[in-house]
Coordinates of all heavy atoms in Angstrom, one line a residue:
S119 N -32.2 75.6 -67.5 CA -31.4 74.8 -68.4 C -30.0 75.5 -68.6 O -29.9 76.7 -68.6 CB -32.1 74.7 -69.8 OG -31.3 74.0 -70.7
G120 N -29.0 74.6 -68.6 CA -27.7 75.1 -68.8 C -26.9 75.6 -67.6 O -25.8 76.2 -67.8
T121 N -27.4 75.5 -66.4 CA -26.8 76.0 -65.2 C -25.8 75.0 -64.6 O -25.3 75.3 -63.5 CB -27.8 76.5 -64.2 OG1 -28.8 75.5 -64.0 CG2 -28.5 77.8 -64.7
G122 N -25.6 73.8 -65.2 CA -24.6 72.9 -64.7 C -25.1 71.7 -63.9 O -24.4 71.0 -63.3
K123 N -26.5 71.5 -63.9 CA -27.1 70.4 -63.1 C -26.5 69.1 -63.5 O -26.1 68.3 -62.7 CB -28.6 70.5 -63.3 CG -29.2 71.8 -62.8 CD -30.7 71.7 -62.9 CE -31.2 71.4 -64.3 NZ -30.9 72.5 -65.3
T124 N -26.6 68.8 -64.8 CA -26.1 67.4 -65.3 C -24.6 67.3 -65.1 O -24.2 66.2 -64.7 CB -26.5 67.3 -66.8 OG1 -27.9 67.4 -67.0 CG2 -26.0 65.9 -67.3
H125 N -23.9 68.3 -65.2 CA -22.4 68.2 -65.0 C -22.2 67.9 -63.5 O -21.4 67.0 -63.2 CB -21.7 69.5 -65.4 CG -20.2 69.4 -65.5 ND1 -19.5 70.1 -66.5 CD2 -19.3 68.8 -64.8 CE1 -18.2 69.8 -66.4 NE2 -18.1 69.0 -65.3
I126 N -22.9 68.6 -62.6 CA -22.7 68.3 -61.2 C -23.1 66.9 -60.9 O -22.4 66.1 -60.1 CB -23.4 69.3 -60.4 CG1 -22.8 70.7 -60.5 CG2 -23.5 68.9 -58.9 CD1 -23.6 71.8 -59.9
A127 N -24.2 66.4 -61.4 CA -24.7 65.1 -61.2 C -23.7 64.0 -61.7 O -23.4 63.1 -61.0 CB -26.1 64.9 -61.8
S128 N -23.2 64.3 -62.9 CA -22.2 63.3 -63.4 C -20.9 63.4 -62.6 O -20.3 62.3 -62.3 CB -21.9 63.7 -64.9 OG -23.0 63.5 -65.7
A129 N -20.5 64.6 -62.2 CA -19.2 64.7 -61.4 C -19.4 64.0 -60.1 O -18.4 63.3 -59.6 CB -18.9 66.1 -61.2
L130 N -20.5 64.1 -59.4 CA -20.8 63.4 -58.2 C -20.7 61.9 -58.4 O -20.2 61.1 -57.6 CB -22.1 63.8 -57.6 CG -22.2 65.0 -56.7 CD1 -23.7 65.3 -56.3 CD2 -21.4 64.8 -55.5
T131 N -21.3 61.4 -59.5 CA -21.3 60.0 -59.9 C -19.9 59.5 -60.1 O -19.6 58.4 -59.6 CB -22.2 59.8 -61.1 OG1 -23.5 60.3 -60.8 CG2 -22.4 58.3 -61.3
Y132 N -19.1 60.2 -60.9 CA -17.7 59.8 -61.1 C -17.0 59.6 -59.7 O -16.3 58.6 -59.5 CB -16.9 60.9 -61.8 CG -17.0 60.7 -63.4 CD1 -17.6 61.6 -64.2 CD2 -16.3 59.7 -64.0 CE1 -17.6 61.5 -65.5 CE2 -16.3 59.5 -65.3 CZ -17.0 60.4 -66.1 OH -17.0 60.3 -67.5
Q133 N -17.2 60.6 -58.8 CA -16.5 60.5 -57.5 C -17.0 59.4 -56.7 O -16.2 58.7 -56.0 CB -16.7 61.9 -56.8 CG -15.9 61.9 -55.5 CD -15.4 63.3 -55.2 OE1 -15.2 64.1 -56.1 NE2 -15.2 63.6 -54.0
L134 N -18.3 59.1 -56.7 CA -18.9 58.0 -55.9 C -18.3 56.7 -56.4 O -18.0 55.8 -55.6 CB -20.4 58.0 -56.0 CG -21.1 59.1 -55.3 CD1 -22.6 59.2 -55.6 CD2 -21.0 58.9 -53.7
I135 N -18.2 56.5 -57.8 CA -17.7 55.3 -58.3 C -16.3 55.1 -57.9 O -15.9 54.0 -57.5 CB -17.8 55.3 -59.8 CG1 -19.3 55.1 -60.3 CG2 -17.0 54.1 -60.5 CD1 -19.5 55.3 -61.7
E136 N -15.5 56.1 -57.9 CA -14.1 56.0 -57.4 C -14.0 55.7 -55.9 O -13.0 55.1 -55.5 CB -13.4 57.3 -57.7 CG -13.1 57.6 -59.2 CD -12.5 59.0 -59.4 OE1 -12.4 59.8 -58.5 OE2 -12.0 59.2 -60.6
Q137 N -15.1 55.9 -55.2 CA -15.1 55.6 -53.8 C -15.8 54.3 -53.5 O -16.1 53.9 -52.4 CB -15.8 56.7 -53.0 CG -15.0 58.0 -53.0 CD -15.8 59.2 -52.4 OE1 -16.9 59.5 -52.8 NE2 -15.2 59.9 -51.5
G138 N -16.1 53.5 -54.6 CA -16.6 52.2 -54.5 C -18.1 52.1 -54.4 O -18.7 51.1 -53.9
V139 N -18.8 53.1 -54.9 CA -20.3 53.1 -55.0 C -20.7 52.9 -56.4 O -20.4 53.6 -57.3 CB -20.8 54.5 -54.4 CG1 -22.4 54.5 -54.5 CG2 -20.4 54.7 -53.0
R140 N -21.5 51.9 -56.6 CA -22.0 51.5 -57.9 C -23.2 52.4 -58.3 O -24.1 52.5 -57.6 CB -22.4 50.0 -58.0 CG -22.5 49.5 -59.4 CD -22.8 48.0 -59.3 NE -22.8 47.4 -60.7 CZ -23.0 46.1 -60.9 NH1 -23.3 45.3 -59.8 NH2 -23.1 45.6 -62.1
C141 N -23.1 53.1 -59.5 CA -24.1 54.1 -59.9 C -24.5 53.8 -61.3 O -23.9 53.1 -62.1 CB -23.5 55.5 -59.8 SG -22.8 55.9 -58.2
K142 N -25.6 54.5 -61.7 CA -26.2 54.4 -63.0 C -26.9 55.7 -63.4 O -27.7 56.2 -62.6 CB -27.1 53.2 -63.2 CG -27.8 53.1 -64.5 CD -26.8 52.5 -65.6 CE -27.6 52.2 -66.9 NZ -26.6 51.8 -67.9
L143 N -26.6 56.3 -64.5 CA -27.3 57.5 -65.0 C -28.3 57.1 -66.1 O -28.0 56.4 -67.0 CB -26.3 58.5 -65.5 CG -26.9 59.9 -65.9 CD1 -25.9 61.0 -65.6 CD2 -27.3 59.9 -67.4
F144 N -29.5 57.6 -65.9 CA -30.6 57.5 -66.9 C -31.1 58.9 -67.3 O -31.5 59.6 -66.4 CB -31.8 56.7 -66.4 CG -31.5 55.2 -66.2 CD1 -31.2 54.7 -64.9 CD2 -31.7 54.3 -67.2 CE1 -31.0 53.4 -64.8 CE2 -31.5 53.0 -67.1 CZ -31.2 52.5 -65.8
P145 N -31.2 59.2 -68.6 CA -32.1 60.3 -69.0 C -33.5 59.9 -68.5 O -33.9 58.7 -68.7 CB -32.0 60.3 -70.5 CG -30.7 59.6 -70.8 CD -30.5 58.6 -69.8
A146 N -34.2 60.8 -68.0 CA -35.5 60.5 -67.4 C -36.4 59.8 -68.4 O -37.1 58.8 -68.0 CB -36.2 61.8 -66.8
I147 N -36.5 60.2 -69.6 CA -37.4 59.6 -70.6 C -37.0 58.2 -70.8 O -37.8 57.3 -70.9 CB -37.3 60.5 -71.9 CG1 -38.0 61.8 -71.7 CG2 -38.1 59.7 -73.0 CD1 -37.9 62.8 -72.9
A148 N -35.7 57.9 -70.9 CA -35.2 56.5 -71.1 C -35.6 55.6 -70.0 O -36.0 54.5 -70.2 CB -33.7 56.5 -71.3
L149 N -35.5 56.1 -68.7 CA -35.9 55.3 -67.6 C -37.4 55.0 -67.6 O -37.8 53.9 -67.4 CB -35.5 56.1 -66.3 CG -36.0 55.4 -65.0 CD1 -35.3 54.0 -64.8 CD2 -35.7 56.3 -63.8
V150 N -38.2 56.0 -67.9 CA -39.6 55.8 -68.0 C -40.0 54.8 -69.1 O -40.8 53.9 -68.9 CB -40.4 57.2 -68.3 CG1 -41.8 56.9 -68.6 CG2 -40.3 58.0 -67.0
Q151 N -39.3 54.9 -70.2 CA -39.5 53.9 -71.3 C -39.2 52.5 -70.9 O -39.9 51.5 -71.1 CB -38.7 54.3 -72.6 CG -39.3 55.6 -73.2 CD -38.4 56.1 -74.4 OE1 -37.2 55.6 -74.5 NE2 -38.9 56.9 -75.2
L152 N -38.1 52.4 -70.1 CA -37.6 51.1 -69.6 C -38.7 50.5 -68.7 O -39.1 49.3 -68.8 CB -36.3 51.2 -68.9 CG -35.8 50.0 -68.2 CD1 -35.3 48.9 -69.2 CD2 -34.6 50.4 -67.2
L153 N -39.2 51.4 -67.8 CA -40.2 50.9 -66.8 C -41.5 50.6 -67.4 O -42.2 49.7 -67.0 CB -40.3 51.9 -65.7 CG -39.0 52.2 -64.9 CD1 -39.3 53.4 -63.9 CD2 -38.6 51.0 -64.1
Q154 N -41.9 51.4 -68.4 CA -43.2 51.2 -69.1 C -43.1 49.8 -69.8 O -44.1 49.1 -69.8 CB -43.4 52.3 -70.2 CG -43.8 53.6 -69.5 CD -43.9 54.7 -70.6 OE1 -43.5 54.5 -71.8 NE2 -44.5 55.8 -70.2
Q155 N -42.0 49.5 -70.5 CA -41.9 48.2 -71.2 C -42.0 47.1 -70.2 O -42.6 46.1 -70.4 CB -40.6 48.2 -72.0 CG -40.4 46.9 -72.8 CD -41.6 46.7 -73.8 OE1 -41.8 47.7 -74.6 NE2 -42.3 45.6 -73.8
A156 N -41.3 47.3 -69.0 CA -41.3 46.2 -68.0 C -42.8 46.0 -67.5 O -43.2 44.9 -67.2 CB -40.4 46.6 -66.8

Side-chain angles (χ1 to χ4, degrees):
S119 178
T121 49
K123 302 182 300 298
T124 298
H125 195 139
I126 291 171
S128 296
L130 275 175
T131 305
Y132 269 113
Q133 185 145 335
L134 287 169
I135 290 173
E136 290 176 348
Q137 293 171 308
V139 179
R140 198 173 183 183
C141 307
K142 176 76 170 175
L143 184 147
F144 287 98
I147 293 175
L149 177 61
V150 168
Q151 289 172 345
L152 173 71
L153 297 174
Q154 286 175 349
Q155 185 59 53

